[in-house]
Structures are given as C-alpha cells and as structure tokens.
Amino acid sequence: MSRRVLVVGAGLVGLGLAHGLHIRGAEVTVAERAPELSEVGWAITLSDLHRNALDRLGYPPSLWQREPMGYEYIFDAHTSLPVNTFEFGPTVMLERSLLQMRLLDPVRDLVRTGTAPVSVEDDAPVVGVRFDDGTTGEYDAVIGTDGVHSWIRRNALGGPAPLDIGCAVIRFRVPNRIGVTFAARTTPIQGSRLGYFLNDGGETLHCMLFINDPAGRHHDTPLSTLAERFAGLQGPLGHVVEAMRSEPDRLCVDIKQVTTSVWARGRVAIAGDAAHAMSPALGQGAGAGFEDAAVLSDLLTAPGLPVEHALAGYEQIRRPAVHDLQYRSFNAARELVLDEKP
C-alpha cells in the first residue's frame, strides 16, 4: 500500500517534493492556502548540487539548462575602480516564476488551493488533519513546506517565529542596454550595497540592493532617493543607478532567518524555508530546499522504513549541512551592508 503524504504549501519546494514522492508511488496531496497559484517571485540561482536534487526529484535537465553565470566584478563604491573578481562556476540563474510553473505542471492535479490545516494530530499510525474548509483527512506523513511563516512549524511542532536580521533586499530589473557581459556589485557605502546579475540570456539585469534596515524604514523609500547613495558611480553599475532614478517596479523584502530545534517529530516534519529560511546573500535558500525534498522523497518511499525513522533520518542528514549554510548566509548578508556604517 502506498504511503499517503500531505504536503502543506505549494511553493517551489512543496511542488518539487510532491513530484519526487509521486513518481516513487506515494499518494500525495498538496494543500495551498492561496485561492489560486499565480506566477510569483523574481530569480533564483541553482548550483550543481541543486540541479542534482531536481534530477533526483524526477525533472528533466531542460528545466534548468542555461548558460552559467560566469564572473562577477566588485567595484569600489567611492571610486568606481574594479577591486576584485569572483567566478560563479557552473551556477545558473532562472526566473522563479517560470521555474514555479514548470514544477507545477506535472503535479497540478495533486494541489488543493484555498485550503490550509487548522489542526494536526499525530495519532500513530496516522496523522489526522482538519482543514479550514471543514474537511478532514488521514495521512501517513505531513510535511510543511509552507515558508518562513510556517503554520506547521509554529503549531504542529511548537517552533519559533522567524528572526528579522535587520537587513532588507530590494529587487528590480533593468534592461541591459549597454551590452554588459558580467555580473557586478559595489563595496558597501552608507549601509548599502548595489549589484546585478545577468538574466534572460543577458538581456536583463536582475538588480539587488542590500540595505541596513532594522526598522523597515526603507520599504517606501523611492529608488531615486536611494540612488543618491551611489551618485557618481561609473561603469555598468552607473547604468543601474541611472535606471533607479526612473523608479522601475521593485520588490522590497525584510531578510528573515528561521532557526528551530525541531525539524521532525513523529510523522510530521518541515522542509525548505519552513525549517531553515536564510538570507539570499549567497543565493542558496531554494536550492537547499530542493535538497531537502530529494532526501525526503527517497526516505519516505524506502521499502520497510518506518515513517518516523525516515523523518528522523532526514533531519539528521540535512540539519548539519544547512546549519553551516545558514551561518555563512547570515554573515554574508551582514557583511554586505555593515562593512561601513550608515
């Protein structure tokens, strides 16, 4: 008899997990609070490890085939002089919304939108779940992939609220009208750091402004105002500064981190941002979630392995690697903006 698994949250990790379990014979239901699934987000990066995880989850290489990101140059924010360079290796960048739709397509029929759990009772050998639409269900395992504000983490596992680390990131896009062929970022200035990556085959610059923002005071600050911090900047980043003055569409997000002592208890577990949300400074969050999903898909469908052992093993395998990654991502975010005080 195939295992019945409830995945809570239809984000990237939840969809990937659903597919990995489904192709291994599990009976999967995905509960998504949003009334409908829409294309959201900006861009994500995928390393070799992340693409290997997607391969293990059953997705074809065509899903992520892109030109590698190449090189990044670091420019002094005061003088515009290039001062360092960094090679990304085989890392690629994808549009998050496009990836989301491609992950959704093969599991669309497994997703129930407009519904979320309101109670989870782990009464072995099943987990009883009551949903906010009045329906109920019994499952062999419940996995929360419901993001940084995870209901499963807080209510089913008694975990903490996310921690605001005092930084924000503002994302916006700029047409690559100058034909630049490499990524770039500045050194810190006035508690902020500006950079971009190439996207859409080099036609678009995916821009990110990291900013020291402990009180969320810059959510509504016009980009044209923030551009003055980089006045006089020359070269490709000067092109970005000029574009900021025209107020392109932008997304401002406070950077939060989730550190919880319990990832799994009995037949309930969390994965992705629900378990280990981290700064986007290293571009590792979504990819780490795919690695979670690959391990969970393997262990939850391993013949003869009890669910409780599968979930405990998942936590034992994934927690050490993610703990180190979170630590480095946190420090990277702080270093991006705090090398120089605002």
Side-chain angles (χ1 to χ4, degrees), residues 123-142:
D123 296 321
V126 298
V127 183
V129 180
R130 183 163 57 90
F131 297 94
D132 57 3
D133 61 2
T135 60
T136 60
E138 290 186 341
Y139 305 92
D140 297 303
V142 173

Side-chain angles (χ1 to χ4, degrees), residues 152-328:
I152 295 294
R153 181 186 69 245
R154 291 179 289 113
N155 294 277
L157 297 178
L163 171 69
D164 191 330
I165 70 171
C167 300
V169 59
I170 302 174
R171 301 173 186 259
F172 56 99
R173 295 186 181 95
V174 172
N176 185 10
R177 296 194 177 99
I178 58 174
V180 66
T181 58
F182 54 82
R185 58 186 162 101
T186 67
T187 56
I189 185 170
Q190 298 184 50
S192 55
R193 196 165 193 166
L194 178 65
Y196 67 82
F197 301 104
L198 299 175
N199 207 356
D200 299 327
E203 295 183 4
T204 305
L205 306 183
H206 176 90
C207 305
M208 303 175 71
L209 174 60
F210 285 88
I211 191 164
N212 183 25
D213 195 23
R217 63 184 184 275
H218 290 300
H219 275 240
D220 298 319
T221 303
L223 280 175
S224 55
T225 300
L226 295 171
E228 295 309 310
R229 298 186 178 200
F230 304 93
L233 196 62
Q234 300 178 51
L237 285 161
H239 168 67
V240 173
V241 173
E242 285 303 311
M244 290 171 67
R245 295 192 170 101
S246 65
E247 297 295 342
D249 291 340
R250 55 89 168 276
L251 173 69
C252 182
V253 177
D254 293 322
I255 299 176
K256 297 183 183 295
Q257 181 165 304
V258 169
T259 304
T260 181
S261 60
V262 178
W263 286 23
R265 181 184 296 130
R267 293 168 172 260
V268 180
I270 49 178
D273 281 352
H276 49 71
M278 64 186 74
S279 158
L282 297 181
Q284 299 291 305
F290 291 139
E291 293 182 78
D292 293 348
V295 173
L296 281 167
S297 295
D298 285 340
L299 296 182
L300 279 172
T301 57
L305 185 65
V307 169
E308 297 89 340
H309 291 188
L311 297 185
Y314 149 73
E315 178 174 359
Q316 184 170 336
I317 291 168
R318 290 295 299 145
R319 181 188 284 277
V322 170
H323 180 270
D324 176 67
L325 192 58
Q326 270 194 312
Y327 179 79
R328 290 190 289 115

Side-chain angles (χ1 to χ4, degrees), residues 31-63:
E32 169 55 45
R33 181 183 301 275
E36 61 181 4
L37 294 178
S38 57
E39 298 184 18
V40 296
W42 292 69
I44 66 170
T45 56
L46 297 175
S47 70
D48 272 350
L49 285 174
H50 307 153
R51 298 196 298 275
N52 179 61
L54 285 169
D55 180 69
R56 291 167 60 191
L57 292 170
Y59 291 101
S62 58
L63 183 72

